[in-house]
Amino acid sequence: MTSYNIAIMVRNEYGVLNRVTSMFRRRQFNITSLTVSETETEQLSRITVQYEGEERSKRQLVAQLAKLPDVISWKEFDPEDSISCELLLIKMANNEATRSQVLDAAEAFRAKIVDYTRDSIVFRIAGGSRRIDNFIDLMRDFEILEVCRTGVVSLERGPSVMRNVASV
Amino acid sequence: MGATTGAQVIVDTLVAEGIDTVFGYPGGTVIDLFDALYDATDKIRVIEPTHEQHGCHAADGYARATGKTGVVIATSGPGATNLVTGIATAYLDSVPLVAITGNVSNKMIGTDAFQELDITGVTLPITKHNYFVRDASRLQEVLREAFELANTGRRGPVLVDVPADVQKAVVEEGPLTPAPIPSPLRAPEAELMAAAEAINRARRPFVYFGGGALASGASQEIVDLASKIGAPMGCSLMGISAIPTDTPGFLGMEGMHGHYASTKAMYESDCLIALGARFNDRSTGDRTKYAPNGKVVHVDVDSSEFSKSLEDLVEVRSDVRTFLRDVEQYVEPNTHEDWQRHVRELRAQERGYADYREGLTPKNVMEAINAVRPQDVPVVTDVGQHQMWAAQFLRFTKPRTFVTSGGLGTMGFGMGAANGVALATGGPSILVTGDGSFEMDMAEMVTAADNQIPVVIVLLNNGVLGMVRQMQSLFKRQRYAMTTLRHRGLDFCKVAEGMGAQATRVSTPEELTQALEDALLAQRDEKTAGPRLIEVPIGEDEFVTPVLQIGASMDELIVNMDDVRSRMGR
């Protein structure tokens, strides 16, 4: 099993996310992360997909994506040549007994406190998925109230851009 | 050009696309569209089926017989959902189809209004693409795109959902030109070279074609390649009629119920040249033991087919006909005499397995049709044993003269499709059907009678759902759960007469031949043209052979009834 990172430019049309995810569901592709966002032009949206599987099934996924008329271009990112990150918000219980340990851990990860009450603390952290996994794992020693993460967004390093790229 | 209504834009686009016949059933949300069609009857014939599903199969048959895009129109809600099986049938067999549905007005969308239904959501996985037209100013562009998509690359159905207010809206109509036809997909040189290398190195090459051969019009090119490289040929169910049945070296259909020699030769081949075929499980049997002896060169316009069924392919992304023309210069002539001799032995064995009984056996019914049928009269089938017998025993010389539901295997496809085929070709069609299938679609005799559509119906009546019964015989210890229909006591001839069709029941091959001749002759005269039913009783324990157990591999074929009996121990 390998993890693949694929960026997809789609027409910014009503229901386009449904078309892409419906295809993933129907063909039983196991998506580990999916983000959708607006782009530099209002005609296009950008979808970033993390996929875990065999090379062969990844090829099938890309070939099926390419058949959707709303898909304008796509690109598989090499981790070496791209920057990926995601954002985490995590709400911890603010217990006197563990407070200092929680704050120490957060500082070590350079997580930012964005909300603080008598009973709770919300941290924000951005970075690679591994780093975020590690931070959540560390927090499991304490009382996690809620977790929300965005999924991966990626850009290629250097001046090349996705628009008009039709690879594979 | 100029200001007009959305409904008129639809009609004008259909005319511009060269559509002369549409299949449509009216309703509340397409009342404006039908009103516009009412003024265009000199340009577009509107055929009203008894049920939207049959209308969709008719549009599908129209497309399969001609290569043109079929058009079906239905109202919102139940009208739209009734299209679903028809759209899925076209999707699985890559048939170009545009379905136009009405929907409730924009301001009512999302309120569960009367007959409101999210048909674009419902048809998402069974269309190449679909559109919900919210904005009347985009209607013309969307329709053009729909026609372009349906009939390019790998063909397929496209649905356009048009709310009632969009049909009423006044819009500015742009220039009416048909959707452009892009040039066929062409493989890069490297892929051609890789394919040629595999072909040139082969000692036992086999040319295997499917529906893509018909879609690309590659009849002569297939025969040319096979004869140049000394390869026998076989086809999938969807490839039937692409080349003449009696072409030297053509072994017929392969697969679960394929011809013995074709299936065996394909299994033994060391280089399978697959042209527009997708290796469906009914074609391959156990995929882990499929084509065990060598390379597969897979030519397809749809690259998603390459990583789907088989591994280790030589992949060629191309239109089939274009590929055959492009690769010709790179392949070396060969005769492969040993291989050809072996193939002749397989054919001799096959003749030894054949059924030589007299009387109304399935084979003899098909031979009677062969003897009488003019070669340009297409044969349509429904789904089941009769479909396999037709595929095995009927002989063809012209492309697109065999129309059948392969991928979805839709019982109830035939009668609607036979109407569509006859209307598309302007001549008669022959429907080969069974009693189970015909119970599902016989209401379409009403449409045929009403429009004097020249359809000759050959109904093989064995009183059972024979294909499932056959499986129950072989694999369920003759426990015939829900497969006996005879006790219903249905009199098909009386029903046919009640629906305005001529009907006759035959009891010998001679009577069948006479009835076929009479029925085809009657279609030549406008006064007597229309649906004609010939009911042919056959035995309930006729089997389709060869037969492959589901999941078995191709070399485990059960070849004939003697083989069946010995395996069943009786």
Side-chain angles (χ1 to χ4, degrees):
Chain A
M1 297 274 269
T2 316
S3 188
Y4 298 94
N5 184 357
I6 301 160
I8 310 150
M9 294 296 248
V10 296
R11 288 199 283 205
N12 188 13
E13 296 260 357
Y14 175 82
V16 63
L17 178 62
N18 187 19
R19 292 180 193 281
V20 172
T21 54
S22 166
M23 187 278 284
F24 290 157
R25 177 194 56 78
R26 179 162 82 91
R27 306 267 179 196
Q28 308 257 302
F29 291 120
N30 189 18
I31 302 300
T32 49
S33 161
L34 183 139
T35 60
V36 188
S37 62
E38 294 189 338
T39 62
E40 63 282 2
T41 155
E42 66 179 28
Q43 281 95 41
L44 299 176
S45 294
R46 184 177 181 117
I47 298 176
T48 310
V49 166
Q50 299 276 120
Y51 174 67
E52 254 178 39
E54 307 296 329
E55 159 76 18
R56 189 172 126 82
S57 64
K58 185 268 300 177
R59 283 189 60 206
Q60 172 68 197
L61 179 147
V62 169
Q64 293 292 349
L65 266 179
K67 282 168 71 172
L68 298 175
D70 281 338
V71 171
I72 303 300
S73 62
W74 68 94
K75 187 153 194 175
E76 191 186 327
F77 283 156
D78 177 344
E80 295 289 311
D81 298 329
S82 59
I83 309 138
S84 295
C85 75
E86 57 178 316
L87 182 71
L88 168 79
L89 291 174
I90 184 166
K91 187 182 287 181
M92 301 300 298
N94 193 353
N95 297 329
E96 203 171 338
T98 57
R99 181 185 302 141
S100 65
Q101 284 173 278
V102 168
L103 291 173
D104 283 351
E107 200 184 329
F109 272 80
R110 279 170 287 139
K112 194 169 174 186
I113 298 170
V114 289
D115 185 60
Y116 195 101
T117 70
R118 194 173 293 114
D119 300 319
S120 66
I121 312 172
V122 177
F123 296 103
R124 184 178 71 201
I125 177 171
S129 301
R130 172 75 65 81
R131 188 165 115 90
I132 286 175
D133 289 345
N134 289 346
F135 183 61
I136 294 172
D137 194 43
L138 200 58
M139 288 293 117
R140 284 190 205 285
D141 290 348
F142 315 108
E143 191 185 346
I144 298 174
L145 298 176
E146 262 186 322
V147 165
C148 182
R149 61 198 283 186
T150 57
V152 177
V153 291
S154 303
L155 281 182
E156 215 176 347
R157 292 182 189 274
S160 92
V161 294
M162 274 290 289
R163 248 186 305 169
N164 305 324
V165 174
S167 52
V168 180
Chain B
M1 295 285 275
T4 186
T5 63
Q8 191 60 45
V9 167
I10 298 175
V11 173
D12 292 345
T13 305
L14 295 177
V15 173
E17 290 294 336
I19 305 298
D20 55 26
T21 308
V22 301
F23 303 85
Y25 204 95
T29 60
V30 282
I31 198 161
D32 285 277
L33 177 52
F34 275 88
D35 195 61
L37 283 165
Y38 202 52
D39 284 332
T41 46
D42 56 328
K43 301 188 197 81
I44 299 178
R45 176 171 54 170
V46 184
I47 301 293
E48 183 176 11
T50 54
H51 184 288
E52 288 89 347
Q53 181 185 339
H54 304 313
C56 198
H57 292 319
D60 174 317
Y62 175 93
R64 290 187 205 231
T66 57
K68 288 167 69 175
T69 301
V71 177
V72 63
I73 300 170
T75 194
S76 61
T81 53
N82 280 347
L83 297 179
V84 167
T85 302
I87 293 172
T89 303
Y91 184 69
L92 266 294
D93 289 344
S94 308
V95 177
L97 183 82
V98 170
I100 300 170
T101 49
N103 212 328
V104 299
S105 289
N106 267 298
K107 64 177 188 300
M108 307 287 281
I109 289 283
T111 65
D112 296 327
F114 177 67
Q115 293 191 335
E116 182 195 349
L117 186 105
D118 172 22
I119 194 64
T120 48
V122 169
T123 57
L124 208 55
I126 53 168
T127 49
K128 274 185 88 173
H129 195 54
N130 61 27
Y131 301 86
F132 176 75
V133 186
R134 277 192 294 185
D135 179 357
S137 70
R138 289 203 53 204
L139 180 61
Q140 190 175 2
E141 171 198 342
V142 163
L143 286 166
R144 254 179 76 109
E145 200 176 291
F147 275 96
E148 184 180 346
L149 263 179
N151 213 349
T152 53
R154 180 171 182 173
R155 276 71 164 173
V158 177
L159 179 134
V160 184
D161 196 22
V162 189
D165 59 322
V166 171
Q167 295 169 44
K168 279 188 190 24
V170 175
V171 292
E172 195 60 34
E173 188 172 60
L176 289 157
T177 47
I181 300 163
S183 53
L185 187 67
R186 171 161 261 162
E189 180 125 347
E191 290 182 6
L192 295 173
M193 302 290 276
E197 195 192 325
I199 293 168
N200 291 339
R201 206 183 293 157
R203 304 176 75 94
R204 299 184 302 278
F206 187 87
V207 171
Y208 166 54
F209 57 89
L214 285 160
S216 71
S219 302
Q220 189 57 49
E221 289 82 357
I222 289 172
V223 180
D224 289 348
L225 176 81
S227 60
K228 180 171 180 181
I229 63 172
M233 293 169 279
C235 67
S236 71
L237 177 66
M238 301 315 297
I240 291 177
S241 87
I243 68 170
T245 311
D246 62 1
T247 305
F250 179 51
L251 307 177
M253 180 173 74
E254 59 68 57
M256 181 173 172
H257 295 300
H259 292 104
Y260 173 80
S262 184
T263 308
K264 276 281 188 195
M266 188 162 163
Y267 182 81
E268 292 173 13
S269 155
D270 70 348
C271 179
L272 199 56
I273 305 152
L275 306 170
R278 63 187 177 87
F279 301 105
N280 178 268
D281 53 290
R282 287 292 194 273
S283 291
T284 60
D286 182 351
R287 281 183 182 150
T288 61
K289 295 182 198 148
Y290 184 69
N293 302 307
K295 279 270 179 211
V296 176
V297 177
H298 191 177
V299 183
D300 208 291
V301 281
D302 179 357
S303 58
S304 74
E305 289 301 338
F306 299 143
S307 45
K308 202 195 268 175
S309 300
L310 298 175
E311 296 181 52
D312 299 327
L313 307 168
V314 178
E315 298 168 3
V316 183
R317 214 175 146 237
S318 174
D319 169 79
V320 168
R321 185 182 190 201
T322 308
F323 164 77
L324 291 166
R325 291 181 168 189
D326 288 350
V327 83
E328 203 276 331
Q329 58 181 311
Y330 302 115
V331 297
E332 294 154 10
N334 210 317
T335 51
H336 294 297
E337 275 161 28
D338 289 351
W339 172 230
Q340 292 288 357
R341 191 175 313 116
H342 179 66
V343 168
R344 281 194 296 276
E345 284 163 17
L346 289 174
R347 294 199 93 165
Q349 273 179 38
E350 179 173 69
R351 280 190 292 276
Y353 297 142
D355 173 9
Y356 295 108
R357 289 174 298 157
E358 294 189 349
L360 281 177
T361 63
K363 179 168 175 256
N364 292 343
V365 172
M366 298 305 149
E367 293 296 357
I369 295 172
N370 282 333
V372 171
R373 181 177 76 94
Q375 282 303 307
D376 54 353
V377 172
V379 176
V380 181
T381 80
D382 224 296
V383 168
Q385 285 183 312
H386 70 269
Q387 177 189 28
M388 291 299 114
W389 290 321
Q392 291 175 336
F393 300 124
L394 290 179
R395 289 194 292 273
F396 299 92
T397 59
K398 295 188 174 170
R400 299 186 180 277
T401 49
F402 182 66
V403 170
T404 197
S405 164
L408 198 65
T410 306
M411 279 177 75
F413 168 79
M415 188 63 214
N419 283 344
V421 166
L423 289 164
T425 57
S429 64
I430 296 175
L431 171 65
V432 175
T433 186
D435 49 318
S437 291
F438 201 54
E439 279 190 12
M440 291 196 187
D441 58 21
M442 61 187 173
E444 275 306 278
M445 283 191 289
V446 175
T447 308
D450 187 27
N451 295 283
Q452 288 197 293
I453 305 173
V455 180
V456 176
I457 304 154
V458 181
L459 169 64
L460 279 71
N461 188 355
N462 58 2
V464 295
L465 296 174
M467 190 59 101
V468 182
R469 182 186 167 93
Q470 167 173 342
M471 286 196 260
Q472 289 168 332
S473 296
L474 286 167
F475 315 127
K476 290 286 171 202
R477 292 175 289 122
Q478 294 95 55
R479 285 160 50 86
Y480 299 121
M482 306 312 292
T483 49
T484 306
L485 304 178
R486 194 184 299 285
H487 53 65
R488 298 190 190 191
L490 182 59
D491 186 332
F492 286 100
C493 288
K494 273 191 184 157
V495 171
E497 280 161 7
M499 289 182 174
Q502 301 287 321
T504 181
R505 193 175 286 125
V506 300
S507 51
T508 64
E510 295 72 31
E511 283 177 28
L512 172 60
T513 302
Q514 189 60 51
L516 281 165
E517 278 173 355
D518 293 348
L520 283 166
L521 188 66
Q523 307 301 3
R524 291 205 201 152
D525 185 342
E526 215 169 275
K527 288 196 277 300
T528 52
R532 288 182 172 253
L533 174 72
I534 304 169
E535 185 182 353
V536 188
I538 59 163
E540 63 185 12
D541 278 317
E542 295 288 352
F543 274 36
V544 178
T545 59
V547 53
L548 192 68
Q549 297 195 33
I550 290 170
S553 94
M554 282 302 174
D555 61 340
E556 300 168 286
L557 214 57
I558 303 171
V559 294
N560 64 6
M561 278 312 288
D562 292 337
D563 198 0
V564 168
R565 283 186 206 101
S566 73
R567 287 178 199 236
M568 284 169 68
R570 49 170 174 152

